Amino acid sequence: RLLIFEGAPGVGKTTLCNLVSKDLKIEISPRDKYDPNRSVYFKENLEFINCLSDDDQVILDRFIWSDIVFSKIRSNEEFYNEEFKSIKSVLDFKHRFLLVRVKNSCFRQTHSNFTELDLACMNGLYDYILSDIKHMLVIDYDKETTDSAVEKIKKAWRLLV
């Protein structure tokens, strides 16, 4: 089972990952440190999910959807390609997952690489590419606190497992 956190940089994903990981006693995957300047991670993502067993419980701070958003922002690449569809079909077929979409209209921490306009653009892209996700919980930091967000995530996770 995968608990996946997605959203623009600086909106609070890692903070939530760390708090939920501690409360649920599930490790955050060390699969890699996300680098928005690197090209898309499709091959590594597919290998990663194919190695998971049915009993694994893993938290991911970003996954394929961030690859797509950053590739679109960085180079305006087409982002719904066959590689993405293959990863998503393996996820849908093989794994139960909860995607936590973290959003905010402003950065919660200073981010030197992106502007508020970039954030608005990224939010729009995430909304678009995540529109067909079945098990998604949206955390909107404009409307809730970190404590209430952590409780909502834990409750949704327990319903999934």
Side-chain angles (χ1 to χ4, degrees):
R1 290 167 192 89
L2 296 169
L3 179 53
I4 303 168
F5 289 78
E6 285 285 7
V11 296
K13 287 176 314 304
T14 302
T15 298
L16 287 174
C17 278
N18 290 331
L19 292 168
V20 170
S21 170
K22 181 180 173 190
D23 284 2
L24 293 176
K25 296 175 179 42
I26 301 172
E27 288 190 38
I28 299 171
S29 171
R31 68 184 183 94
D32 57 40
K33 293 287 184 192
Y34 194 81
D35 177 2
N37 296 312
R38 187 176 161 209
S39 67
V40 181
Y41 289 74
F42 286 123
K43 182 180 178 203
E44 292 91 336
N45 285 325
L46 189 54
E47 289 172 0
F48 175 77
I49 60 174
N50 281 326
C51 289
L52 295 174
S53 76
D54 292 341
D55 297 327
D56 287 335
Q57 291 190 22
V58 178
I59 293 176
L60 297 174
D61 187 350
R62 298 197 181 282
F63 198 47
I64 56 176
W65 296 276
S66 286
D67 292 345
I68 293 164
V69 167
F70 283 113
S71 69
K72 186 70 174 167
I73 295 283
R74 187 178 56 250
S75 62
N76 207 26
E77 294 173 20
E78 182 54 43
F79 50 85
Y80 264 133
N81 62 27
E82 293 308 311
E83 292 172 308
F84 170 73
K85 290 175 187 172
S86 69
I87 292 170
K88 186 158 181 325
S89 68
V90 170
L91 263 179
D92 288 339
F93 176 73
K94 185 175 179 183
H95 298 290
R96 292 173 65 183
F97 70 96
L98 173 64
L99 192 138
V100 178
R101 161 74 164 100
V102 183
K103 61 193 280 185
N104 202 346
S105 62
C106 61
F107 293 112
R108 291 175 59 85
Q109 59 186 358
T110 304
H111 205 288
S112 59
N113 295 332
F114 300 103
T115 67
E116 298 290 329
L117 184 59
D118 293 328
L119 178 60
C121 180
M122 284 186 263
N123 278 331
L125 285 170
Y126 277 108
D127 288 343
Y128 176 72
I129 65 170
L130 297 174
S131 62
D132 66 340
I133 301 298
K134 295 174 192 152
H135 301 287
M136 182 169 64
L137 176 65
V138 176
I139 301 298
D140 187 341
Y141 265 130
D142 291 332
K143 299 177 182 166
E144 55 193 300
T145 67
T146 299
D147 289 341
S148 68
V150 168
E151 290 307 311
K152 281 173 77 173
I153 295 164
K154 291 182 340 188
K155 182 179 179 180
W157 179 252
R158 288 184 184 115
L159 291 172
L160 183 68
V161 297

